[in-house]
Amino acid sequence: MKMMKLSDMTMKQAADGFDLSFKEKIELAKLLDKLGVSVIELEGIRNPRIDSLRIKSIAAAVKNSVIAVPVPLNGECPEQVWAALQQAKHPRLQVCGAVSAVQMEYLFHKKPEAMRKLIAETIRVCKSLCADVEFLAEDATRADAAFLAETLRDAIAAGATTVTVCDAAGSMLPAEFARFICDLREAVPELQSVNMGAACSDALSMADACAVAAAGAGVTELKAAAYPLDAADIANLARILDARGDSFGAGSSLQMQQLNRIIGKVRQICKTAGSRGVGPAAGPDEDLYLTAHDDAAAVTKAAAQLGYDLSEEDETKVYDAFRRIALKKDRVSYKELDAIVASAAMQVPPTYELETFVITSGNTISSTAHIKLRKNGETLEGVSIGDGPIDAAFVAIETITGTRYELDDFQLQSVTEGRGAVGQTVVKLRSGGRVYSGKGISTDIVAAGIHAYLSALNKIVYEEEEA
């Protein structure tokens, strides 16, 4: 029995439908990897600085699944995509090319011969970088049969290890799509030597049936989505393969005992992103707490729920700090544990130290920040405009350091009461799939925020220099 590869397109297709946060994308990737999907497809690079970091972080978080990222057919070099993807355990570069006359002319403004050469050349360059290269023939079911066959032959000759044909219109019935696959395999014998995939639009609500028909016709990889999008449903395909796959000699590697639970989590995250403003999609319940009776394993588990991947040394430091507080009060909330981790874990020599800051803010002007930092005895400064004093300060720091990390969380708590109350700020930054937190305390909330940001930043810089 052949094991059917299921390739999840949730994040790739959701990019044009709703806005998943950085944290949600990493959480989705971990869930899909745990479920056992063969391939996790990501959207490509639009903003080099931000998207490269996103791909690197997801690649670091995924243990078993292939991570696939598209390379544009617009003359840009794929080296940038590969630089972000190459740390993945199982990387794949995707080359997506239109093969129908309408899309070649409308999307790429190219004639068939020029398009065929561009596809082959892009695949050839990708193959020089990555062993696993996929060619996706978009709108294949509406392409000229002879041109499609020739393009697929060229793609395989150029080094494509997976060739996927797409029914972008979703107009074929299951039997028609199966016949299309069979005819194509007969016309292009080279397809027997590579992994052949299929993708179907759900325009007629028949993507699942068409995907199953393609599997019966010899396809070995099916594209689907864990969240209801214009694609086959990965949960339905897994159930069909589990129940009836033996009828056409196919099965899947998905963890069926965890299917409903993980798919439920994925859909909740996507639903929250689609109605942004409801609140974070994932994270510990604010009502959860720990007590002095909880052992080190429970504290470490709670820290992991907050997003921290602690070393053994930091686990001990956090637990000791937790015990000192827990012995003085009945319960320690998860927010308090956040502050404990920020203050106790991974304390490092500061690379950047705050020298001075000036913030200008008001209800009729934009917030601006002028910040001076000290690094190795040298004074560095940056000026920036932001959506508020905190945002302006953080952007100014990014300008100085030349780096930008995803702001995973920002918390402000009052430590003392009264008009001169001391505020405690916790900032969590994400880098390489890990969360780094810093804590700042001041009667000035902006100063507390800056100190917390620098504390987290210094931890990232220290670890990167040590690597």
Side-chain angles (χ1 to χ4, degrees), residues 76-112:
E76 295 181 6
C77 296
E79 283 82 359
Q80 189 177 64
V81 177
W82 177 240
L85 181 63
Q86 61 182 337
Q87 297 304 317
K89 289 191 176 181
H90 307 290
R92 173 186 287 185
L93 292 176
Q94 293 180 318
V95 178
C96 309
V99 290
S100 68
V102 173
Q103 288 202 1
M104 281 188 286
E105 185 69 34
Y106 180 74
L107 296 178
F108 294 93
H109 311 295
K110 291 189 177 296
K111 299 299 181 183

PDB file of all heavy atoms in Angstrom, residues 76-112:
ATOM      1  N   GLU A  76      13.297  37.385 -10.092  1.00  0.00           N
ATOM      2  CA  GLU A  76      14.037  37.548  -8.846  1.00  0.00           C
ATOM      3  C   GLU A  76      14.751  36.250  -8.493  1.00  0.00           C
ATOM      4  O   GLU A  76      14.281  35.157  -8.776  1.00  0.00           O
ATOM      5  CB  GLU A  76      13.088  37.944  -7.712  1.00  0.00           C
ATOM      6  CG  GLU A  76      12.452  39.309  -7.898  1.00  0.00           C
ATOM      7  CD  GLU A  76      11.538  39.682  -6.751  1.00  0.00           C
ATOM      8  OE1 GLU A  76      11.516  38.914  -5.770  1.00  0.00           O
ATOM      9  OE2 GLU A  76      10.857  40.710  -6.850  1.00  0.00           O
ATOM     10  N   CYS A  77      15.887  36.391  -7.861  1.00  0.00           N
ATOM     11  CA  CYS A  77      16.680  35.218  -7.500  1.00  0.00           C
ATOM     12  C   CYS A  77      16.030  34.442  -6.364  1.00  0.00           C
ATOM     13  O   CYS A  77      15.521  35.042  -5.421  1.00  0.00           O
ATOM     14  CB  CYS A  77      18.086  35.638  -7.090  1.00  0.00           C
ATOM     15  SG  CYS A  77      19.041  36.411  -8.412  1.00  0.00           S
ATOM     16  N   PRO A  78      16.072  33.118  -6.410  1.00  0.00           N
ATOM     17  CA  PRO A  78      15.497  32.314  -5.323  1.00  0.00           C
ATOM     18  C   PRO A  78      16.416  32.198  -4.116  1.00  0.00           C
ATOM     19  O   PRO A  78      16.040  31.603  -3.116  1.00  0.00           O
ATOM     20  CB  PRO A  78      15.281  30.956  -5.992  1.00  0.00           C
ATOM     21  CG  PRO A  78      16.333  30.889  -7.047  1.00  0.00           C
ATOM     22  CD  PRO A  78      16.493  32.295  -7.554  1.00  0.00           C
ATOM     23  N   GLU A  79      17.629  32.786  -4.210  1.00  0.00           N
ATOM     24  CA  GLU A  79      18.563  32.675  -3.099  1.00  0.00           C
ATOM     25  C   GLU A  79      17.998  33.257  -1.808  1.00  0.00           C
ATOM     26  O   GLU A  79      18.282  32.762  -0.708  1.00  0.00           O
ATOM     27  CB  GLU A  79      19.885  33.391  -3.434  1.00  0.00           C
ATOM     28  CG  GLU A  79      20.795  32.607  -4.367  1.00  0.00           C
ATOM     29  CD  GLU A  79      20.423  32.760  -5.832  1.00  0.00           C
ATOM     30  OE1 GLU A  79      19.418  33.473  -6.117  1.00  0.00           O
ATOM     31  OE2 GLU A  79      21.113  32.185  -6.683  1.00  0.00           O
ATOM     32  N   GLN A  80      17.198  34.311  -1.935  1.00  0.00           N
ATOM     33  CA  GLN A  80      16.621  34.944  -0.753  1.00  0.00           C
ATOM     34  C   GLN A  80      15.657  33.994  -0.038  1.00  0.00           C
ATOM     35  O   GLN A  80      15.657  33.895   1.191  1.00  0.00           O
ATOM     36  CB  GLN A  80      15.891  36.222  -1.166  1.00  0.00           C
ATOM     37  CG  GLN A  80      15.433  37.077  -0.002  1.00  0.00           C
ATOM     38  CD  GLN A  80      14.794  38.360  -0.487  1.00  0.00           C
ATOM     39  OE1 GLN A  80      13.752  38.343  -1.144  1.00  0.00           O
ATOM     40  NE2 GLN A  80      15.414  39.475  -0.175  1.00  0.00           N
ATOM     41  N   VAL A  81      14.835  33.285  -0.821  1.00  0.00           N
ATOM     42  CA  VAL A  81      13.919  32.307  -0.238  1.00  0.00           C
ATOM     43  C   VAL A  81      14.717  31.175   0.402  1.00  0.00           C
ATOM     44  O   VAL A  81      14.430  30.736   1.517  1.00  0.00           O
ATOM     45  CB  VAL A  81      12.955  31.755  -1.306  1.00  0.00           C
ATOM     46  CG1 VAL A  81      12.055  30.674  -0.700  1.00  0.00           C
ATOM     47  CG2 VAL A  81      12.119  32.864  -1.902  1.00  0.00           C
ATOM     48  N   TRP A  82      15.739  30.726  -0.300  1.00  0.00           N
ATOM     49  CA  TRP A  82      16.525  29.607   0.201  1.00  0.00           C
ATOM     50  C   TRP A  82      17.272  29.985   1.485  1.00  0.00           C
ATOM     51  O   TRP A  82      17.397  29.171   2.405  1.00  0.00           O
ATOM     52  CB  TRP A  82      17.511  29.139  -0.864  1.00  0.00           C
ATOM     53  CG  TRP A  82      18.417  28.037  -0.412  1.00  0.00           C
ATOM     54  CD1 TRP A  82      19.775  28.050  -0.343  1.00  0.00           C
ATOM     55  CD2 TRP A  82      18.029  26.736   0.063  1.00  0.00           C
ATOM     56  NE1 TRP A  82      20.253  26.855   0.132  1.00  0.00           N
ATOM     57  CE2 TRP A  82      19.208  26.036   0.385  1.00  0.00           C
ATOM     58  CE3 TRP A  82      16.789  26.109   0.237  1.00  0.00           C
ATOM     59  CZ2 TRP A  82      19.175  24.733   0.885  1.00  0.00           C
ATOM     60  CZ3 TRP A  82      16.761  24.812   0.733  1.00  0.00           C
ATOM     61  CH2 TRP A  82      17.946  24.132   1.051  1.00  0.00           C
ATOM     62  N   ALA A  83      17.747  31.214   1.576  1.00  0.00           N
ATOM     63  CA  ALA A  83      18.459  31.660   2.779  1.00  0.00           C
ATOM     64  C   ALA A  83      17.567  31.568   4.008  1.00  0.00           C
ATOM     65  O   ALA A  83      18.028  31.250   5.105  1.00  0.00           O
ATOM     66  CB  ALA A  83      18.956  33.089   2.591  1.00  0.00           C
ATOM     67  N   ALA A  84      16.266  31.833   3.824  1.00  0.00           N
ATOM     68  CA  ALA A  84      15.327  31.761   4.945  1.00  0.00           C
ATOM     69  C   ALA A  84      14.913  30.320   5.243  1.00  0.00           C
ATOM     70  O   ALA A  84      14.622  29.983   6.389  1.00  0.00           O
ATOM     71  CB  ALA A  84      14.087  32.600   4.641  1.00  0.00           C
ATOM     72  N   LEU A  85      14.920  29.467   4.220  1.00  0.00           N
ATOM     73  CA  LEU A  85      14.359  28.117   4.351  1.00  0.00           C
ATOM     74  C   LEU A  85      15.398  27.048   4.657  1.00  0.00           C
ATOM     75  O   LEU A  85      15.045  25.979   5.169  1.00  0.00           O
ATOM     76  CB  LEU A  85      13.621  27.765   3.050  1.00  0.00           C
ATOM     77  CG  LEU A  85      12.938  26.403   2.950  1.00  0.00           C
ATOM     78  CD1 LEU A  85      11.813  26.272   3.981  1.00  0.00           C
ATOM     79  CD2 LEU A  85      12.379  26.190   1.549  1.00  0.00           C
ATOM     80  N   GLN A  86      16.652  27.310   4.378  1.00  0.00           N
ATOM     81  CA  GLN A  86      17.639  26.235   4.360  1.00  0.00           C
ATOM     82  C   GLN A  86      17.873  25.551   5.706  1.00  0.00           C
ATOM     83  O   GLN A  86      18.391  24.430   5.756  1.00  0.00           O
ATOM     84  CB  GLN A  86      18.966  26.757   3.812  1.00  0.00           C
ATOM     85  CG  GLN A  86      19.588  27.866   4.627  1.00  0.00           C
ATOM     86  CD  GLN A  86      20.868  28.377   3.997  1.00  0.00           C
ATOM     87  OE1 GLN A  86      21.513  27.674   3.234  1.00  0.00           O
ATOM     88  NE2 GLN A  86      21.235  29.609   4.300  1.00  0.00           N
ATOM     89  N   GLN A  87      17.481  26.208   6.821  1.00  0.00           N
ATOM     90  CA  GLN A  87      17.671  25.573   8.119  1.00  0.00           C
ATOM     91  C   GLN A  87      16.577  24.553   8.448  1.00  0.00           C
ATOM     92  O   GLN A  87      16.666  23.859   9.463  1.00  0.00           O
ATOM     93  CB  GLN A  87      17.715  26.642   9.215  1.00  0.00           C
ATOM     94  CG  GLN A  87      18.888  27.619   9.082  1.00  0.00           C
ATOM     95  CD  GLN A  87      20.227  26.911   9.041  1.00  0.00           C
ATOM     96  OE1 GLN A  87      20.476  25.978   9.799  1.00  0.00           O
ATOM     97  NE2 GLN A  87      21.100  27.344   8.138  1.00  0.00           N
ATOM     98  N   ALA A  88      15.544  24.471   7.608  1.00  0.00           N
ATOM     99  CA  ALA A  88      14.484  23.480   7.833  1.00  0.00           C
ATOM    100  C   ALA A  88      15.059  22.075   7.705  1.00  0.00           C
ATOM    101  O   ALA A  88      15.964  21.828   6.902  1.00  0.00           O
ATOM    102  CB  ALA A  88      13.356  23.684   6.827  1.00  0.00           C
ATOM    103  N   LYS A  89      14.535  21.145   8.485  1.00  0.00           N
ATOM    104  CA  LYS A  89      15.015  19.760   8.396  1.00  0.00           C
ATOM    105  C   LYS A  89      14.678  19.154   7.046  1.00  0.00           C
ATOM    106  O   LYS A  89      15.436  18.347   6.501  1.00  0.00           O
ATOM    107  CB  LYS A  89      14.412  18.926   9.527  1.00  0.00           C
ATOM    108  CG  LYS A  89      14.980  19.268  10.898  1.00  0.00           C
ATOM    109  CD  LYS A  89      14.554  18.258  11.943  1.00  0.00           C
ATOM    110  CE  LYS A  89      15.220  18.563  13.279  1.00  0.00           C
ATOM    111  NZ  LYS A  89      14.840  17.584  14.330  1.00  0.00           N
ATOM    112  N   HIS A  90      13.513  19.541   6.499  1.00  0.00           N
ATOM    113  CA  HIS A  90      13.097  19.029   5.195  1.00  0.00           C
ATOM    114  C   HIS A  90      12.589  20.193   4.343  1.00  0.00           C
ATOM    115  O   HIS A  90      11.381  20.432   4.266  1.00  0.00           O
ATOM    116  CB  HIS A  90      12.001  17.968   5.361  1.00  0.00           C
ATOM    117  CG  HIS A  90      12.363  16.858   6.306  1.00  0.00           C
ATOM    118  ND1 HIS A  90      13.312  15.909   6.018  1.00  0.00           N
ATOM    119  CD2 HIS A  90      11.915  16.580   7.561  1.00  0.00           C
ATOM    120  CE1 HIS A  90      13.430  15.075   7.039  1.00  0.00           C
ATOM    121  NE2 HIS A  90      12.599  15.469   7.997  1.00  0.00           N
ATOM    122  N   PRO A  91      13.485  20.918   3.679  1.00  0.00           N
ATOM    123  CA  PRO A  91      13.061  22.089   2.892  1.00  0.00           C
ATOM    124  C   PRO A  91      12.615  21.715   1.480  1.00  0.00           C
ATOM    125  O   PRO A  91      13.075  20.728   0.912  1.00  0.00           O
ATOM    126  CB  PRO A  91      14.330  22.941   2.848  1.00  0.00           C
ATOM    127  CG  PRO A  91      15.443  21.933   2.876  1.00  0.00           C
ATOM    128  CD  PRO A  91      14.940  20.804   3.745  1.00  0.00           C
ATOM    129  N   ARG A  92      11.699  22.516   0.942  1.00  0.00           N
ATOM    130  CA  ARG A  92      11.263  22.335  -0.453  1.00  0.00           C
ATOM    131  C   ARG A  92      11.026  23.714  -1.070  1.00  0.00           C
ATOM    132  O   ARG A  92      10.370  24.562  -0.467  1.00  0.00           O
ATOM    133  CB  ARG A  92       9.979  21.512  -0.538  1.00  0.00           C
ATOM    134  CG  ARG A  92       9.389  21.443  -1.959  1.00  0.00           C
ATOM    135  CD  ARG A  92       8.035  20.754  -1.996  1.00  0.00           C
ATOM    136  NE  ARG A  92       8.123  19.317  -1.801  1.00  0.00           N
ATOM    137  CZ  ARG A  92       7.075  18.493  -1.888  1.00  0.00           C
ATOM    138  NH1 ARG A  92       5.858  18.988  -2.150  1.00  0.00           N
ATOM    139  NH2 ARG A  92       7.227  17.196  -1.695  1.00  0.00           N
ATOM    140  N   LEU A  93      11.544  23.911  -2.269  1.00  0.00           N
ATOM    141  CA  LEU A  93      11.275  25.127  -3.025  1.00  0.00           C
ATOM    142  C   LEU A  93      10.193  24.822  -4.056  1.00  0.00           C
ATOM    143  O   LEU A  93      10.229  23.777  -4.722  1.00  0.00           O
ATOM    144  CB  LEU A  93      12.544  25.623  -3.731  1.00  0.00           C
ATOM    145  CG  LEU A  93      13.667  26.140  -2.814  1.00  0.00           C
ATOM    146  CD1 LEU A  93      14.898  26.514  -3.642  1.00  0.00           C
ATOM    147  CD2 LEU A  93      13.200  27.327  -1.997  1.00  0.00           C
ATOM    148  N   GLN A  94       9.225  25.715  -4.178  1.00  0.00           N
ATOM    149  CA  GLN A  94       8.124  25.534  -5.120  1.00  0.00           C
ATOM    150  C   GLN A  94       8.224  26.553  -6.254  1.00  0.00           C
ATOM    151  O   GLN A  94       8.441  27.741  -6.010  1.00  0.00           O
ATOM    152  CB  GLN A  94       6.777  25.726  -4.418  1.00  0.00           C
ATOM    153  CG  GLN A  94       6.445  24.667  -3.382  1.00  0.00           C
ATOM    154  CD  GLN A  94       5.093  24.934  -2.740  1.00  0.00           C
ATOM    155  OE1 GLN A  94       4.758  26.073  -2.420  1.00  0.00           O
ATOM    156  NE2 GLN A  94       4.308  23.885  -2.529  1.00  0.00           N
ATOM    157  N   VAL A  95       8.050  26.069  -7.452  1.00  0.00           N
ATOM    158  CA  VAL A  95       7.997  26.939  -8.635  1.00  0.00           C
ATOM    159  C   VAL A  95       6.589  26.849  -9.196  1.00  0.00           C
ATOM    160  O   VAL A  95       6.160  25.776  -9.632  1.00  0.00           O
ATOM    161  CB  VAL A  95       9.033  26.517  -9.694  1.00  0.00           C
ATOM    162  CG1 VAL A  95       8.904  27.412 -10.936  1.00  0.00           C
ATOM    163  CG2 VAL A  95      10.435  26.602  -9.118  1.00  0.00           C
ATOM    164  N   CYS A  96       5.848  27.946  -9.126  1.00  0.00           N
ATOM    165  CA  CYS A  96       4.463  27.966  -9.587  1.00  0.00           C
ATOM    166  C   CYS A  96       4.389  28.688 -10.927  1.00  0.00           C
ATOM    167  O   CYS A  96       4.782  29.865 -11.020  1.00  0.00           O
ATOM    168  CB  CYS A  96       3.562  28.672  -8.568  1.00  0.00           C
ATOM    169  SG  CYS A  96       3.736  28.060  -6.878  1.00  0.00           S
ATOM    170  N   GLY A  97       3.889  27.992 -11.947  1.00  0.00           N
ATOM    171  CA  GLY A  97       3.817  28.600 -13.264  1.00  0.00           C
ATOM    172  C   GLY A  97       2.489  28.366 -13.949  1.00  0.00           C
ATOM    173  O   GLY A  97       1.937  27.256 -13.898  1.00  0.00           O
ATOM    174  N   ALA A  98       1.958  29.411 -14.573  1.00  0.00           N
ATOM    175  CA  ALA A  98       0.708  29.277 -15.328  1.00  0.00           C
ATOM    176  C   ALA A  98       0.976  28.501 -16.617  1.00  0.00           C
ATOM    177  O   ALA A  98       1.996  28.703 -17.270  1.00  0.00           O
ATOM    178  CB  ALA A  98       0.149  30.658 -15.654  1.00  0.00           C
ATOM    179  N   VAL A  99       0.045  27.632 -16.972  1.00  0.00           N
ATOM    180  CA  VAL A  99       0.223  26.833 -18.196  1.00  0.00           C
ATOM    181  C   VAL A  99      -0.958  26.958 -19.150  1.00  0.00           C
ATOM    182  O   VAL A  99      -0.903  26.423 -20.264  1.00  0.00           O
ATOM    183  CB  VAL A  99       0.464  25.337 -17.849  1.00  0.00           C
ATOM    184  CG1 VAL A  99       1.831  25.139 -17.214  1.00  0.00           C
ATOM    185  CG2 VAL A  99      -0.630  24.799 -16.939  1.00  0.00           C
ATOM    186  N   SER A 100      -2.018  27.651 -18.743  1.00  0.00           N
ATOM    187  CA  SER A 100      -3.128  27.886 -19.672  1.00  0.00           C
ATOM    188  C   SER A 100      -2.844  29.181 -20.431  1.00  0.00           C
ATOM    189  O   SER A 100      -2.186  30.090 -19.921  1.00  0.00           O
ATOM    190  CB  SER A 100      -4.456  27.997 -18.924  1.00  0.00           C
ATOM    191  OG  SER A 100      -4.500  29.175 -18.134  1.00  0.00           O
ATOM    192  N   ALA A 101      -3.342  29.271 -21.659  1.00  0.00           N
ATOM    193  CA  ALA A 101      -3.061  30.436 -22.500  1.00  0.00           C
ATOM    194  C   ALA A 101      -3.521  31.736 -21.847  1.00  0.00           C
ATOM    195  O   ALA A 101      -2.814  32.751 -21.884  1.00  0.00           O
ATOM    196  CB  ALA A 101      -3.742  30.253 -23.857  1.00  0.00           C
ATOM    197  N   VAL A 102      -4.694  31.698 -21.212  1.00  0.00           N
ATOM    198  CA  VAL A 102      -5.243  32.901 -20.593  1.00  0.00           C
ATOM    199  C   VAL A 102      -4.352  33.395 -19.458  1.00  0.00           C
ATOM    200  O   VAL A 102      -3.997  34.574 -19.386  1.00  0.00           O
ATOM    201  CB  VAL A 102      -6.679  32.644 -20.070  1.00  0.00           C
ATOM    202  CG1 VAL A 102      -7.173  33.841 -19.266  1.00  0.00           C
ATOM    203  CG2 VAL A 102      -7.614  32.359 -21.229  1.00  0.00           C
ATOM    204  N   GLN A 103      -3.954  32.491 -18.563  1.00  0.00           N
ATOM    205  CA  GLN A 103      -3.159  32.907 -17.408  1.00  0.00           C
ATOM    206  C   GLN A 103      -1.732  33.284 -17.796  1.00  0.00           C
ATOM    207  O   GLN A 103      -1.134  34.182 -17.191  1.00  0.00           O
ATOM    208  CB  GLN A 103      -3.154  31.805 -16.346  1.00  0.00           C
ATOM    209  CG  GLN A 103      -4.491  31.660 -15.642  1.00  0.00           C
ATOM    210  CD  GLN A 103      -4.364  30.983 -14.291  1.00  0.00           C
ATOM    211  OE1 GLN A 103      -3.282  30.622 -13.850  1.00  0.00           O
ATOM    212  NE2 GLN A 103      -5.480  30.810 -13.609  1.00  0.00           N
ATOM    213  N   MET A 104      -1.162  32.606 -18.782  1.00  0.00           N
ATOM    214  CA  MET A 104       0.180  32.981 -19.230  1.00  0.00           C
ATOM    215  C   MET A 104       0.203  34.416 -19.725  1.00  0.00           C
ATOM    216  O   MET A 104       1.122  35.188 -19.441  1.00  0.00           O
ATOM    217  CB  MET A 104       0.654  32.027 -20.339  1.00  0.00           C
ATOM    218  CG  MET A 104       1.156  30.686 -19.845  1.00  0.00           C
ATOM    219  SD  MET A 104       1.900  29.686 -21.155  1.00  0.00           S
ATOM    220  CE  MET A 104       0.457  29.142 -22.066  1.00  0.00           C
ATOM    221  N   GLU A 105      -0.827  34.777 -20.479  1.00  0.00           N
ATOM    222  CA  GLU A 105      -0.895  36.118 -21.053  1.00  0.00           C
ATOM    223  C   GLU A 105      -1.301  37.149 -20.007  1.00  0.00           C
ATOM    224  O   GLU A 105      -0.712  38.234 -19.910  1.00  0.00           O
ATOM    225  CB  GLU A 105      -1.902  36.137 -22.204  1.00  0.00           C
ATOM    226  CG  GLU A 105      -1.978  37.468 -22.961  1.00  0.00           C
ATOM    227  CD  GLU A 105      -0.727  37.752 -23.758  1.00  0.00           C
ATOM    228  OE1 GLU A 105      -0.116  36.793 -24.271  1.00  0.00           O
ATOM    229  OE2 GLU A 105      -0.349  38.935 -23.856  1.00  0.00           O
ATOM    230  N   TYR A 106      -2.288  36.806 -19.175  1.00  0.00           N
ATOM    231  CA  TYR A 106      -2.848  37.773 -18.228  1.00  0.00           C
ATOM    232  C   TYR A 106      -1.939  37.997 -17.019  1.00  0.00           C
ATOM    233  O   TYR A 106      -1.718  39.136 -16.599  1.00  0.00           O
ATOM    234  CB  TYR A 106      -4.217  37.288 -17.763  1.00  0.00           C
ATOM    235  CG  TYR A 106      -4.897  38.221 -16.785  1.00  0.00           C
ATOM    236  CD1 TYR A 106      -5.453  39.426 -17.217  1.00  0.00           C
ATOM    237  CD2 TYR A 106      -4.978  37.903 -15.437  1.00  0.00           C
ATOM    238  CE1 TYR A 106      -6.080  40.290 -16.323  1.00  0.00           C
ATOM    239  CE2 TYR A 106      -5.595  38.749 -14.537  1.00  0.00           C
ATOM    240  CZ  TYR A 106      -6.147  39.943 -14.986  1.00  0.00           C
ATOM    241  OH  TYR A 106      -6.751  40.799 -14.097  1.00  0.00           O
ATOM    242  N   LEU A 107      -1.393  36.901 -16.461  1.00  0.00           N
ATOM    243  CA  LEU A 107      -0.603  37.023 -15.242  1.00  0.00           C
ATOM    244  C   LEU A 107       0.875  37.302 -15.499  1.00  0.00           C
ATOM    245  O   LEU A 107       1.525  38.016 -14.736  1.00  0.00           O
ATOM    246  CB  LEU A 107      -0.736  35.746 -14.404  1.00  0.00           C
ATOM    247  CG  LEU A 107      -2.130  35.419 -13.868  1.00  0.00           C
ATOM    248  CD1 LEU A 107      -2.103  34.106 -13.096  1.00  0.00           C
ATOM    249  CD2 LEU A 107      -2.640  36.545 -12.959  1.00  0.00           C
ATOM    250  N   PHE A 108       1.411  36.722 -16.583  1.00  0.00           N
ATOM    251  CA  PHE A 108       2.853  36.829 -16.806  1.00  0.00           C
ATOM    252  C   PHE A 108       3.226  37.568 -18.099  1.00  0.00           C
ATOM    253  O   PHE A 108       4.405  37.830 -18.327  1.00  0.00           O
ATOM    254  CB  PHE A 108       3.481  35.422 -16.825  1.00  0.00           C
ATOM    255  CG  PHE A 108       3.413  34.718 -15.497  1.00  0.00           C
ATOM    256  CD1 PHE A 108       2.356  33.879 -15.199  1.00  0.00           C
ATOM    257  CD2 PHE A 108       4.396  34.903 -14.539  1.00  0.00           C
ATOM    258  CE1 PHE A 108       2.282  33.227 -13.980  1.00  0.00           C
ATOM    259  CE2 PHE A 108       4.331  34.256 -13.323  1.00  0.00           C
ATOM    260  CZ  PHE A 108       3.271  33.421 -13.036  1.00  0.00           C
ATOM    261  N   HIS A 109       2.211  37.856 -18.927  1.00  0.00           N
ATOM    262  CA  HIS A 109       2.450  38.563 -20.194  1.00  0.00           C
ATOM    263  C   HIS A 109       3.509  37.852 -21.044  1.00  0.00           C
ATOM    264  O   HIS A 109       4.416  38.484 -21.587  1.00  0.00           O
ATOM    265  CB  HIS A 109       2.888  40.010 -19.926  1.00  0.00           C
ATOM    266  CG  HIS A 109       1.998  40.728 -18.950  1.00  0.00           C
ATOM    267  ND1 HIS A 109       0.673  41.018 -19.218  1.00  0.00           N
ATOM    268  CD2 HIS A 109       2.242  41.193 -17.695  1.00  0.00           C
ATOM    269  CE1 HIS A 109       0.140  41.632 -18.172  1.00  0.00           C
ATOM    270  NE2 HIS A 109       1.068  41.742 -17.230  1.00  0.00           N
ATOM    271  N   LYS A 110       3.403  36.538 -21.123  1.00  0.00           N
ATOM    272  CA  LYS A 110       4.375  35.757 -21.880  1.00  0.00           C
ATOM    273  C   LYS A 110       3.685  34.793 -22.830  1.00  0.00           C
ATOM    274  O   LYS A 110       2.593  34.296 -22.551  1.00  0.00           O
ATOM    275  CB  LYS A 110       5.304  34.975 -20.935  1.00  0.00           C
ATOM    276  CG  LYS A 110       6.257  35.866 -20.154  1.00  0.00           C
ATOM    277  CD  LYS A 110       7.283  35.052 -19.417  1.00  0.00           C
ATOM    278  CE  LYS A 110       8.262  35.970 -18.693  1.00  0.00           C
ATOM    279  NZ  LYS A 110       9.051  36.800 -19.624  1.00  0.00           N
ATOM    280  N   LYS A 111       4.366  34.517 -23.939  1.00  0.00           N
ATOM    281  CA  LYS A 111       3.911  33.518 -24.892  1.00  0.00           C
ATOM    282  C   LYS A 111       4.309  32.138 -24.381  1.00  0.00           C
ATOM    283  O   LYS A 111       5.211  32.004 -23.545  1.00  0.00           O
ATOM    284  CB  LYS A 111       4.518  33.778 -26.268  1.00  0.00           C
ATOM    285  CG  LYS A 111       4.133  35.131 -26.868  1.00  0.00           C
ATOM    286  CD  LYS A 111       2.627  35.234 -27.069  1.00  0.00           C
ATOM    287  CE  LYS A 111       2.251  36.587 -27.699  1.00  0.00           C
ATOM    288  NZ  LYS A 111       0.775  36.731 -27.849  1.00  0.00           N
ATOM    289  N   PRO A 112       3.650  31.083 -24.878  1.00  0.00           N
ATOM    290  CA  PRO A 112       3.909  29.729 -24.366  1.00  0.00           C
ATOM    291  C   PRO A 112       5.378  29.322 -24.343  1.00  0.00           C
ATOM    292  O   PRO A 112       5.866  28.795 -23.338  1.00  0.00           O
ATOM    293  CB  PRO A 112       3.086  28.841 -25.305  1.00  0.00           C
ATOM    294  CG  PRO A 112       1.945  29.718 -25.720  1.00  0.00           C
ATOM    295  CD  PRO A 112       2.529  31.083 -25.841  1.00  0.00           C
TER     296      PRO A 112
END
